[in-house]
Amino acid sequence: MAGLEEIAAHLGLGLSVALTASNIFYCFLGALLGTLIGVLPGLGPATTIAMLLPVTFHLSPIGGLIMLAGIYYGAQYGGSITSILVNIPGESSSVITCLDGHAMTRQGRSGSALATAALGSFVAGCIATLLVALFAPPLTDLVQLFGAAEYFALMALGLVAAVVLAQGSVLKALLMILLGLMLGFVGTDVNSGAQRLTFGLEGLADGIGFIPLAMGVFGIAEIAVHLERMQGGAPPAAAITRLWPTRDDFRRAWPAVLRGTGVGSLLGILPGGGAILGSFAAYTLEKRLARDPSRFGNGAIEGVAAPESANNAAAQTSFIPLLTLGIPSNGVMALMVGAMMIHGITPGPTVIDQQPELFWGIIASMWVANLILVVINLPLVGIWARLTRVPYRILFPAVLLFCAIGAYSYAHSVFDVVLTMVFGLMGYVLLKLRCEPAPLLLAFVLGPMMEESLRRALLIGRGDPTVFVTRPLSAAILAIAVLLLILTILPAVRGLRQTAFREE
């Protein structure tokens, strides 16, 4: 772990970048958009980030990434508002908050629930940001020891962990990984020049673009599913009572906030983890530790404090594997990789040395975003609540039009618009089959990187495939991946996994 003086110097550099007028504006814009889409059920952070990727092409790299990161944090805050007031989770990581949050609303304690969610998220975000600043540099130093074989093994472990921690069937998650890898291989082989899986289509010669795929499977598919499920708008929001929690609420909530922060911070780092798993695990932990578990589901403030702290902490720490290893830990981080690549930045350990302003600027902006989110959430909660009444028949067609414009504007290609629609249809079918699209996007991003590492490792090993098991670090990482896969297949572990995602 780096010394405190070194960390303070790094954070000072980051704050000098994050506190420029333009970056504060992008941070504010991202936080505002994130809260907005968090409030509106059906539009998650992945959908919004996918839609706004072409916009960031016109911004500075640091400004664009700060805005996209702000959307991610903001969605965690905004999602809790509809969960608490109208019992509809605005964001998937806020599903668990519905249980006790809306129960508090029915008891006339909606203000306490909203304030606890906002203040808990703020505390969690600040602590998690500090953890990112403390642990990212030493991890980056450790990664410098990695060769091609270790990188390949690490990415294989990431994909296996994504399968293990994905919601629903393991088999379906595995198929999503394979489909993502296959889509990532479409295009021209850089070594032989031969075309792979292009079916003679000239538009696929350079491979499938990240933006059409992301917009299709996250944007259009999600919207199509919600249009099918919902008619009109959400139910009217409940009245908002006194915002400041009582002394008893504070006494019960703060230990839950700290525990939720710890759980979320840890699970956010894991590939495939992220905010959703963190909120579920934190809620389960609070219920197990409670003297009277029957309070949960009936308005226990710990049931709001823990998951809301956990999902925000996980959103912050999920940046650690992205910034240090260059490996996205979930679907949103895969989109962030896409945003970095649009600006010609290769995510990974070299970023901290070659672009320290970018690296520390993003970390410092996490604090700025959390502060902005508290300011725009608590005083304006009434406005956010009224936004839930926007009819979906007006909102979603506008979003679809925005997707089509975004797909075209990136490369000025009609083929990309067609491709976006095709992936939208594919994503819709996958969602109907209850297949989670996040592993697909992870595999799509990691596939070409894995192929490059595989080739380099074999080249260094003169074609000997045992290079992956004769190098101790590579062998250890692959052994963990195989062990994880075996454990997932065992009936006892499979039952535990299903229980964890059934707490809702």
Side-chain angles (χ1 to χ4, degrees):
M1 195 185 301
L4 288 178
E5 286 184 9
E6 191 181 348
I7 293 295
H10 289 152
L11 289 176
L13 172 65
L15 285 172
S16 70
V17 175
L19 292 179
T20 60
S22 60
N23 287 336
I24 289 177
F25 171 73
Y26 292 130
C27 194
F28 174 78
L29 188 62
L32 196 68
L33 284 171
T35 306
L36 177 65
I37 57 105
V39 166
L40 297 171
L43 295 176
T47 304
T48 312
I49 291 174
M51 287 191 302
L52 291 178
L53 275 176
V55 176
T56 63
F57 187 70
H58 304 287
L59 305 180
S60 67
I62 180 72
L65 290 170
I66 283 177
M67 188 183 80
L68 296 181
I71 291 171
Y72 190 28
Y73 318 140
Q76 314 306 321
Y77 275 71
S80 65
I81 295 176
T82 42
S83 293
I84 291 167
L85 293 181
V86 294
N87 202 26
I88 293 176
E91 217 280 305
S92 53
S93 63
S94 299
V95 167
I96 204 79
T97 308
C98 289
L99 297 178
D100 288 283
H102 193 63
M104 287 179 72
T105 297
R106 290 199 302 270
Q107 296 164 3
R109 299 163 59 207
S110 61
S112 292
L114 288 166
T116 301
L119 295 174
S121 296
F122 176 72
V123 172
C126 291
I127 295 174
T129 302
L130 194 60
L131 291 175
V132 175
L134 286 172
F135 290 101
L139 267 175
T140 304
D141 293 339
L142 181 68
V143 172
Q144 304 285 3
L145 304 174
F146 279 33
E150 285 77 15
Y151 261 112
F152 175 81
L154 196 63
M155 284 184 263
L157 174 63
L159 291 183
V160 169
V163 170
V164 173
L165 297 176
Q167 293 184 59
S169 160
V170 171
L171 180 62
K172 287 178 180 175
L174 201 57
L175 289 173
M176 287 297 94
I177 293 282
L178 293 175
L179 182 58
L181 287 174
M182 194 173 72
L183 291 172
F185 293 147
V186 173
T188 306
D189 187 310
V190 289
N191 289 336
S192 66
Q195 293 199 353
R196 302 184 301 194
L197 301 171
T198 60
F199 303 104
L201 294 173
E202 193 180 333
L204 293 178
D206 292 330
I208 292 171
F210 183 80
I211 287 177
L213 179 69
M215 277 189 166
V217 298
F218 278 112
I220 292 177
E222 290 280 354
I223 289 165
V225 168
H226 279 86
L227 274 175
E228 189 180 67
R229 287 178 188 163
M230 299 180 180
Q231 296 293 325
I240 300 167
T241 54
R242 187 174 74 101
L243 272 178
W244 202 246
T246 63
R247 184 176 294 180
D248 186 54
D249 285 339
F250 269 122
R251 184 181 61 78
R252 289 178 181 277
W254 76 262
V257 167
L258 294 181
R259 284 191 289 266
T261 303
V263 170
S265 298
L266 183 64
L267 292 177
I269 300 170
L270 298 180
I276 301 173
L277 189 63
S279 61
F280 275 68
Y283 186 85
T284 307
L285 178 67
E286 288 305 314
K287 203 171 172 182
R288 297 278 187 272
L289 292 176
R291 288 182 183 173
D292 179 14
S294 64
R295 291 175 52 245
F296 283 78
N298 295 303
I301 198 158
E302 300 96 316
V304 175
E308 285 303 314
S309 307
N311 66 29
N312 205 46
Q316 319 274 50
T317 57
S318 59
F319 277 84
I320 290 180
L322 172 68
L323 293 174
T324 58
L325 307 174
I327 296 177
S329 58
N330 54 50
V332 174
M333 289 302 108
L335 290 163
M336 294 297 287
V337 170
M340 292 175 89
M341 287 177 168
I342 285 173
H343 288 281
I345 301 166
T346 305
T350 54
V351 175
I352 192 169
D353 292 327
Q354 295 176 1
Q355 303 192 52
E357 292 85 3
L358 177 84
F359 184 91
W360 292 107
I362 290 175
I363 290 177
S365 75
M366 294 176 181
W367 269 332
V368 179
N370 273 288
L371 188 60
I372 289 173
L373 282 165
V374 170
V375 172
I376 64 175
N377 267 268
L378 285 182
L380 303 180
V381 68
I383 295 173
W384 297 121
R386 281 197 287 276
L387 281 174
T388 60
R389 298 170 193 166
V390 175
Y392 297 117
R393 65 177 181 279
I394 296 173
L395 177 69
F396 286 154
V399 174
L400 282 174
L401 179 65
F402 190 78
C403 280
I405 294 171
Y408 177 78
S409 63
Y410 176 60
H412 300 286
S413 164
V414 176
F415 184 76
D416 278 353
V417 179
V418 175
L419 215 52
T420 304
M421 299 305 159
V422 170
F423 284 126
L425 182 63
M426 186 186 84
Y428 173 76
V429 173
L430 291 177
L431 286 175
K432 297 296 285 182
L433 295 173
R434 295 181 180 277
C435 296
E436 200 183 344
L440 181 149
L441 199 67
L442 275 178
F444 178 78
V445 170
L446 290 179
M449 295 160 70
M450 283 181 76
E451 184 185 11
E452 188 186 335
S453 296
L454 176 70
R455 284 182 165 170
R456 282 175 48 213
L458 288 174
L459 199 65
I460 293 167
R462 300 188 178 183
D464 182 5
T466 60
V467 67
F468 297 103
V469 291
T470 52
R471 293 172 66 98
L473 196 52
S474 168
I477 297 170
L478 284 175
I480 294 171
V482 172
L483 187 66
L484 260 181
L485 207 54
I486 293 171
L487 282 175
T488 310
I489 298 167
L490 291 177
V493 179
R494 207 166 55 213
L496 189 67
R497 182 176 170 278
Q498 286 170 352
T499 304
F501 286 113
R502 206 171 45 231
E503 281 292 339
E504 65 187 286

